[in-house]
Amino acid sequence: MTSIASTTAPAAEPVANARDLALAHYAARGVLEHVLARHGITFQQQVALRSALTAETPQTPDDLVARVRDSLKADPAGIRATLDELLARQLLDTDGPYLRPTDAGRELIAAVGAETAPVSARIWGGIPAADLTAAGRVLALVTERANAELAALTG
């Protein structure tokens, strides 16, 4: 008598698709949002604050709206409301026509980064470099194509 294991065909490796990409995104985002909630900040606030913090040049409100919209594809009015929230919480401050992160904003982003670093290491750890390279190429291509499709739909 043959065992089930010997008659079962080897499992095929999964082929990535849009649903898998979305599930991975939302799983990782769920982890981040859990951390952000402990710090009293939303995902969009964190993206806007990080955009201000990592910009190579000072950013006007319009610059930050454009950067966040490029990342999140969010409504500009909602992004402006997010910037107002960050200003009200003194995580951003005005400097003439520019918005700059305050010390409190920098500390918040650093604290979130420190808290998420070990989680990210557990999530990404052990994935072979070749797999990460291939995934990076595929994700860049998917992003490029999706951005083009969105531009065609909204342009």
Side-chain angles (χ1 to χ4, degrees), residues 1-9:
M1 172 171 245
T2 21
S3 73
I4 293 175
S6 66
T7 61
T8 305

Side-chain angles (χ1 to χ4, degrees), residues 10-100:
E13 288 194 39
V15 175
N17 58 44
R19 182 177 183 276
D20 294 334
L21 175 62
L23 291 174
H25 163 76
Y26 283 113
R29 182 170 167 174
V31 171
L32 176 59
E33 286 184 347
H34 184 79
V35 171
L36 294 173
R38 284 200 296 263
H39 291 275
I41 189 170
T42 67
F43 181 74
Q44 188 160 299
Q45 288 171 337
Q46 180 263 345
V47 170
L49 186 55
R50 183 175 297 283
S51 292
L53 189 64
T54 60
E56 293 180 15
T57 60
Q59 300 289 290
T60 65
D62 288 344
D63 295 334
L64 281 175
V65 167
R67 284 177 63 112
V68 174
R69 186 167 191 215
D70 186 54
S71 294
L72 300 182
K73 313 305 183 235
D75 175 53
I79 298 167
R80 287 186 189 287
T82 295
L83 296 178
D84 289 342
E85 293 162 1
L86 294 170
L87 285 162
R89 291 191 54 196
Q90 298 179 342
L91 298 171
L92 283 178
D93 199 4
T94 57
D95 181 9
Y98 303 111
L99 295 178
R100 296 188 191 271

